[in-house]
Amino acid sequence: MRKIIFTAILCITFFACANESKNEKNQQSTPANSTLAIDGKNLFQANCASCHHPTKPMTGPALKGVLARVPNKQWIYDFVHNSTKVIASGDEYALNVFKNNGGVVMTNFPNLSNEEIDAILNYCEE
Ligand code: HEC
């Protein structure tokens, strides 16, 4: 009788432990940092590639190294969310880049988060 109880306890302990390690694995497969999960390449291709190439000028300028030329990172977020608004505000850099690209109006992307824009820029730097 004792042997049976002992075996039963052993079995329960074993399954409890096995289950726990399974749970841990499940948690690890969901990335804690959502930035890592954003696919910059995919976003770039879906939203920007019709007008931009990372290294070649197209309808819009090549995006590689863009951070070094623009006034600051916030400027990029604002411009991607609503370029017309930035140009209309009289921002000198925006007016110039608009003029130098034949006055083509860039599409507005109000729904892209700053993190998604970061992921797109990171992809363009690769
Ligand atoms: C319809 C074409 C078009 C699409 C689509 C487009 N852009 Fe643009 N983009 C332009 C043009 C043209 C310019 C130059 C400024 C202007 O004319 O307004 C520009 C300028 C920029 C600039 C400033 C470049 C510099 O040299 O200072 C950034 C940054 C930028 N785009 C990012 C993006 C991102 C990110 C996406 C995708 C989410 C995107 N653009 C989608 C046409 C486009």
Side-chain angles (χ1 to χ4, degrees):
M1 184 65 183
R2 260 204 196 153
K3 220 175 176 184
I4 292 173
I5 293 172
F6 181 71
T7 318
I9 289 172
L10 252 186
C11 281
I12 291 166
T13 317
F14 174 77
F15 282 117
C17 287
N19 233 355
E20 207 157 89
S21 73
K22 214 165 120 195
N23 282 343
E24 266 166 29
K25 261 190 211 140
N26 280 344
Q27 272 163 8
Q28 272 169 5
S29 66
T30 339
N33 184 345
S34 62
T35 314
L36 292 174
I38 301 175
D39 187 344
K41 180 180 180 183
N42 227 345
L43 283 173
F44 175 80
Q45 281 170 349
N47 299 295
C48 324
S50 55
C51 296
H52 290 280
H53 185 276
T55 55
K56 285 179 229 151
M58 285 179 33
T59 310
L63 290 183
K64 185 170 180 167
V66 72
L67 255 174
R69 0 179 236 275
V70 296
N72 53 60
K73 212 170 190 186
Q74 186 60 46
W75 184 94
I76 296 194
Y77 300 149
D78 294 341
F79 197 81
V80 173
H81 288 144
N82 191 340
S83 71
T84 324
K85 198 170 147 191
V86 180
I87 294 166
S89 77
D91 179 280
E92 201 181 327
Y93 181 89
L95 280 168
N96 272 332
V97 78
F98 181 60
K99 248 193 285 170
N100 294 340
N101 286 276
V104 178
V105 177
M106 177 168 136
T107 320
N108 291 339
F109 298 93
N111 295 330
L112 284 180
S113 69
N114 293 353
E115 290 73 24
E116 286 171 323
I117 296 169
D118 282 343
I120 292 171
L121 296 178
N122 284 342
Y123 164 69
C124 291
E125 293 303 320
E126 276 171 17

